[in-house]
Amino acid sequence: MLPTDPTKKISFTRCITDGDLVIVYERHDAMKAVKVCEESVLQNRFGVFKHSDWIGKPFGCKVFSNKGKFVYLLAPTPELWTLVLSHRTQILYIADISFVIMYLEIVPGCLVLESGTGSGSLTTSLARAVAPTGHVYTFDFHEQRAASARQDFEQTGVSSLVTVGVRDIQGEGFPDEFSGIADSVFLDLPQPWLTIPSVGKMLKQDGVLCSFSPCMEQVQRTCESLRSNFTEIRTFEILLRTYEVRQGKLDGSRDNGGGSLPCKRKQHSIEGSSEQDNQSSAAVLARPCAEAKGHTGYLTFARLKFLS
Amino acid sequence: MSQNKIQLDPSNNNSRVTWEGCSVLLDINDGDRLVFARLTAASTLKIGNKNCSLQPLVGCPFGSLFQVDNGKEGPVLCRALPSKEDEAPEKGENQISEELRDNRAIVDDNKAQTLTGEDIDEMRRQGAKGDEIVEALIANSATFDKKTAFSQEKYRIKKQKKYAPRVLLRRPFARSICEAYFKKYPNRIGFLRVDTLSLMLSMANITANSDVLVADMVGGLLTGAVAERLGGTGYACSTYLGDTPNSIDIVRIFNFSSEICKRIVRAPLSDLSLDQNGTSAQTNSHEDVCNMEIQSNDQISSSVVMENISISSENVVSDIVPETTLSPASKFCKAPKAGEKASQEALKLWKENGFSSLIMAAPEIDPWNLVKDLLPLLSYSAPFAIYHQYLQPLVTCMHNLQIGKMAIGLQISEPWLREYQVLPSRTHPCMQMSGFGGYILSGTRISGS
């Protein structure tokens, strides 16, 4: 998934080969991760796709089924992976993930601790951020979940950057071997306040912690326990609004002004480009999607206080 | 000279201790004022109406706290340990129910404080510390005891900020640079908010060893943020229309090692465009030579300017904080130069392989105008993220990409960010928030054939 291995990096000349992980794209909300295997086939509502037809084609190409229907084959990225991975737990999505990585000041070479691993959605993005020389140590108390995550990281090709441990971080804290060497720590635990003392030991001075909690009661207890050894304690909520774009005709678009809807008029005043001025062609309209996530969780950040 | 640079800049770009010539972010009074500065022998910080030398900050770990003390020759920045008052015993949930005081007896008649300005100046002359002045103000306030515990706390903080200002030493990162600009000069970065920037970096899959095509008309913030994620590998190729590269001055605020700076290159769009036939490549390379000469002349003259009046070039950095005056820096303190012209080998490589992603923030330009020329330069299956502060141009751009079957997974998104005040019994969203951080059009390039 990551271009750490130059032979895997996407380019005009890089073709799909046997054993590659591809994202089969039907629609923006219908995607699937598939491991290319010469003898294998993919069967979906569009018919049967032979993997052997895919090999030698570039990523980003269209491939056809026995019924003449098509899908696209994309190179995996952490964003696409987040959309296709199997949910073993509730996962973090792109807006929270992006903000966490930026706010934790994670750059190549960082050592990052995470608990729990969950489905590995955030972990994959953490790995991308610390590559090529950093490392993510992620812990989950659920043995089977940790094993599945390990398999996933193997499949997505980030396993050299991630180590999955089985450990009850809330009960035992992080292992002592990481004392004072973590650049950043991420917690997604039901009682994160129990882990704060351990996080204080793990972080380098001035290192940053993030705790993700869906409930405000968790946030309050976490913030209280942070106040003694941490500074710059800030809590955020981030949501994403997406827009639908379609071409449509609005009544009254032919007579200039008159009965045109506000959105139509706005378009003219802002855009005024030649394409929009063409009255006979339909307008391109945008509006926020009606369905949206109302809440994911609160993100609390804090920086280890400098005490010496 | 480059030898010197290497010795002065810790080779580890992730250094947690400041050095002579390093760029720092100064957080004054808990985020009230954010100031970027370069630590040189002569640089100063204006606090109140006094200038403090920044020399005591050199060689200190990031995260150190400083307090302004009255020295013999005016105010001096001294290392301070974080106060223990933050660790005040937990009063917890009962606090509010136990509070019997209210503000019915407090009248705003300006008579509550018996200490005069002259008294305070006299205390200063006698070398009183800021904290002592705050205590004196509290002792001489007739109404302090009548205030509720919350407003007592507020009063103390207000006086502390004025009489004992604190300066926190921070590492400049894309995060803090974007936040500081967004707070003070949002128009210079096209109103690009930090959460929007972070989303763009994800959507464009910016990671080590990628070759990123960057269109940056936000002063270098985007280029810097990309280079930070590349960590001295791959390339951030900043492209531009016409002959004059866009300014990337903000890159200088990041403490980039020379390894990282080398990976920030510039190329005019005309040099990147894929040639339809071999012959035009020949003429192009001629132009390249000419361009390069002009370019190198420019560079010489500009670097001369920088050395002679580094005051003004430093002001570019400290612009964001008009209150700071920075004096001429020794030339060793210059950050290594970022934004050299892309080499012919690199250009050739990109033409053969394509860029691994496109990231764009050109708030003054119709995105479609650029995207139609930039997208063909990307490898198939390469993701892209395009920022704009207006929705409609992105809508048109998205529609054209759909019609032209150039990309899939197209989506326009707008992040919404809310901060919370979390305090015992006083938790609520912050009263002030940014209502708008910009729109992003994201998608994946597909192969046409």
Side-chain angles (χ1 to χ4, degrees):
Chain A
M1 179 183 296
L2 303 177
T4 328
D5 176 359
T7 60
K8 292 276 168 91
K9 187 169 170 175
I10 55 164
S11 86
F12 288 135
T13 51
R14 160 94 162 94
C15 293
I16 294 168
T17 57
D18 197 24
D20 275 344
L21 178 71
V22 298
I23 306 293
V24 177
Y25 177 103
E26 291 176 32
R27 262 186 0 213
H28 73 279
D29 54 354
M31 286 184 243
K32 194 180 177 193
V34 175
K35 193 175 172 169
V36 179
C37 174
E38 189 143 18
E39 285 87 48
S40 189
V41 294
L42 168 74
Q43 205 152 10
N44 65 13
R45 62 203 169 105
F46 294 142
V48 181
F49 296 83
K50 280 197 269 182
H51 287 201
S52 54
D53 291 347
W54 301 353
I55 294 170
K57 293 227 166 84
F59 278 103
C61 71
K62 231 187 220 184
V63 289
F64 292 87
S65 73
N66 59 341
K67 294 180 185 164
K69 300 272 179 68
F70 66 88
V71 293
Y72 289 96
L73 303 180
L74 301 182
T77 65
E79 281 62 47
L80 292 171
W81 182 250
T82 289
L83 298 175
V84 299
L85 58 79
S86 48
H87 287 208
R88 298 176 285 269
T89 55
Q90 180 63 255
I91 65 164
L92 259 72
Y93 289 98
I94 184 167
D96 291 290
I97 291 174
S98 310
F99 196 65
V100 164
I101 288 172
M102 179 71 111
Y103 247 67
L104 285 180
E105 301 176 341
I106 299 174
V107 294
C110 280
L111 191 152
V112 180
L113 303 179
E114 181 198 28
S115 183
T117 309
S119 309
S121 170
L122 173 69
T123 321
T124 311
S125 287
L126 290 174
R128 172 176 63 186
V130 302
T133 48
H135 206 89
V136 182
Y137 294 89
T138 180
F139 299 90
D140 205 297
F141 63 10
H142 196 288
E143 189 143 6
Q144 197 189 357
R145 216 186 274 155
S148 307
R150 242 180 248 126
Q151 271 173 18
D152 280 359
F153 300 144
E154 203 65 54
Q155 203 186 3
T156 52
V158 299
S159 53
S160 63
L161 297 161
V162 181
T163 304
V164 187
V166 181
R167 187 178 171 99
D168 175 13
I169 296 297
Q170 207 166 271
E172 304 170 60
F174 287 99
D176 282 335
E177 56 185 297
F178 299 111
S179 272
I181 61 167
D183 291 285
S184 323
V185 176
F186 179 85
L187 302 178
D188 180 359
L189 297 169
Q191 296 170 286
W193 54 90
L194 297 176
T195 315
I196 303 296
S198 165
V199 173
K201 269 186 234 155
M202 301 301 131
L203 279 174
K204 290 182 185 168
Q205 286 184 322
D206 208 35
V208 193
L209 156 77
C210 175
S211 171
F212 174 94
S213 299
C215 303
M216 188 43 87
E217 287 76 6
Q218 295 170 300
V219 173
Q220 283 178 312
R221 290 197 69 169
T222 307
C223 285
E224 265 168 60
S225 63
L226 283 169
R227 273 185 253 281
S228 55
N229 285 318
F230 288 79
T231 174
E232 229 182 292
I233 304 164
R234 300 176 71 181
T235 301
F236 295 94
E237 181 180 22
I238 182 166
L239 294 172
L240 214 51
R241 167 179 259 189
T242 54
Y243 286 80
E244 264 171 27
V245 173
R246 66 175 187 94
Q247 196 167 27
K249 269 187 184 164
L250 294 176
D251 279 346
S253 64
R254 267 166 214 273
D255 54 58
N256 261 331
S260 69
L261 287 172
C263 61
K264 180 71 184 167
R265 193 179 301 142
K266 200 170 150 197
Q267 206 164 48
H268 275 271
S269 63
I270 294 174
E271 181 60 18
S273 84
S274 53
E275 282 161 51
Q276 300 305 316
D277 283 343
N278 186 352
Q279 291 296 320
S280 60
S281 81
V284 186
L285 306 167
R287 67 163 198 189
C289 297
E291 264 180 51
K293 270 212 172 58
H295 182 62
T296 56
Y298 300 104
L299 294 167
T300 299
F301 296 90
R303 199 183 285 276
L304 186 63
K305 225 184 245 177
F306 206 90
L307 288 169
S308 60
Chain B
M1 193 176 113
S2 60
Q3 283 298 316
N4 278 332
K5 269 183 195 165
I6 289 164
Q7 280 171 5
L8 283 164
D9 298 351
S11 53
N12 173 11
N13 122 71
N14 213 1
S15 169
R16 286 175 179 269
V17 178
T18 66
W19 62 96
E20 182 92 26
C22 95
S23 159
V24 297
L25 173 62
L26 303 175
D27 174 333
I28 300 156
N29 278 339
D30 228 358
D32 281 3
R33 232 175 101 204
L34 296 169
V35 174
F36 289 107
R38 202 168 281 281
L39 297 186
T40 66
S43 52
T44 58
L45 170 71
K46 193 165 183 187
I47 294 180
N49 51 3
K50 303 270 172 42
N51 281 321
C52 300
S53 165
L54 292 179
Q55 191 62 34
L57 276 58
V58 176
C60 290
F62 284 103
S64 314
L65 189 68
F66 293 83
Q67 203 154 348
V68 182
D69 277 341
N70 298 309
K72 278 180 189 137
E73 289 147 45
V76 192
L77 286 168
C78 296
R79 269 295 275 287
L81 286 179
S83 60
K84 297 281 165 193
E85 58 195 78
D86 299 348
E87 299 174 48
E90 298 292 326
K91 288 174 199 145
E93 307 290 318
N94 306 328
Q95 204 167 6
I96 273 198
S97 53
E98 280 171 10
E99 184 60 78
L100 297 170
R101 290 163 292 195
D102 56 36
N103 62 9
R104 78 183 78 188
I106 295 180
V107 185
D108 184 10
D109 58 1
N110 250 343
K111 287 180 191 156
Q113 183 57 253
T114 52
L115 219 57
T116 65
E118 288 90 68
D119 295 339
I120 293 169
D121 285 344
E122 182 54 31
M123 284 181 75
R124 279 215 183 98
R125 270 193 293 278
Q126 289 170 2
K129 294 213 186 305
D131 289 337
E132 291 165 13
I133 296 177
V134 175
E135 289 310 319
L137 283 165
I138 290 171
N140 286 285
S141 163
T143 49
F144 186 81
D145 291 336
K146 295 185 193 133
K147 291 175 191 279
T148 66
F150 298 145
S151 57
Q152 282 179 352
E153 191 185 322
K154 265 192 187 169
Y155 182 89
R156 186 183 290 275
I157 289 171
K158 219 169 96 187
K159 297 300 172 195
Q160 174 262 310
K161 284 179 174 179
K162 183 159 180 204
Y163 295 100
R166 289 181 190 154
V167 178
L168 197 52
L169 190 56
R170 286 269 168 259
R171 293 196 291 172
F173 271 101
R175 162 190 164 180
S176 44
I177 295 170
C178 184
E179 278 192 315
Y181 267 91
F182 192 80
K183 202 170 166 186
K184 275 203 112 149
Y185 297 109
N187 59 321
R188 292 192 197 168
I189 53 162
F191 301 88
L192 176 62
R193 203 171 55 198
V194 63
D195 50 320
T196 315
L197 177 61
S198 75
L199 264 167
M200 289 177 75
L201 296 171
S202 290
M203 287 167 163
N205 194 26
I206 309 298
T207 181
N209 294 304
S210 33
D211 293 309
V212 186
L213 183 56
V214 186
D216 181 339
M217 293 180 74
V218 290
L221 174 65
L222 190 63
T223 311
V226 169
E228 188 178 275
R229 296 280 172 108
L230 293 177
T233 66
Y235 278 103
C237 175
S238 179
T239 190
Y240 52 94
L241 294 169
D243 304 326
T244 326
N246 310 315
S247 152
I248 52 166
D249 280 344
I250 294 179
V251 166
R252 289 155 40 84
I253 301 178
F254 291 81
N255 270 323
F256 285 150
S257 65
S258 44
E259 274 64 44
I260 295 183
C261 286
K262 269 189 260 166
R263 299 305 177 140
I264 302 173
V265 295
R266 298 206 251 196
L269 181 54
S270 54
D271 279 8
L272 294 173
S273 300
L274 305 169
D275 298 306
Q276 293 307 316
N277 51 39
T279 49
S280 71
Q282 194 60 36
T283 40
N284 263 356
S285 68
H286 262 286
E287 282 170 22
D288 282 351
V289 174
C290 302
N291 273 346
M292 246 153 50
E293 279 167 10
I294 297 165
Q295 185 79 12
S296 59
N297 277 339
D298 275 350
Q299 270 164 12
I300 290 164
S301 59
S302 72
S303 62
V304 168
V305 170
M306 265 163 51
E307 273 167 39
N308 284 349
I309 45 159
S310 42
I311 257 200
S312 75
S313 65
E314 290 297 348
N315 278 345
V316 177
V317 174
S318 60
D319 240 346
I320 192 149
V321 265
E323 303 105 305
T324 321
T325 33
L326 292 174
S327 312
S330 82
K331 57 184 170 183
F332 303 117
C333 303
K334 284 278 166 289
K337 203 161 172 60
E340 297 288 351
K341 201 175 162 65
S343 67
Q344 289 299 321
E345 300 88 84
L347 290 173
K348 184 165 168 279
L349 215 65
W350 293 326
K351 281 178 192 176
E352 282 169 10
N353 296 322
F355 286 95
S356 35
S357 57
L358 164 67
I359 192 163
M360 195 169 125
E364 308 293 325
I365 281 189
D366 180 6
W368 172 243
N369 239 333
L370 260 180
V371 168
K372 68 176 178 353
D373 292 330
L374 296 185
L375 210 63
L377 308 180
L378 301 189
S379 305
Y380 305 124
S381 200
F384 57 87
I386 300 152
Y387 169 82
H388 214 277
Q389 52 177 322
Y390 294 111
L391 179 58
Q392 194 55 46
L394 284 186
V395 169
T396 309
C397 184
M398 171 164 163
H399 187 68
N400 291 342
L401 288 171
Q402 264 168 345
I403 299 282
K405 294 197 165 51
M406 295 166 79
I408 53 169
L410 289 164
Q411 184 147 60
I412 294 178
S413 24
E414 177 197 2
W416 180 89
L417 182 71
R418 167 173 259 178
E419 186 164 2
Y420 283 76
Q421 167 185 301
V422 182
L423 288 172
S425 311
R426 285 161 291 161
T427 296
H428 57 70
C430 291
M431 298 294 183
Q432 297 294 327
M433 68 181 268
S434 152
F436 179 66
Y439 302 102
I440 308 167
L441 168 61
S442 59
T444 305
R445 196 210 164 177
I446 51 173
S447 122
S449 52

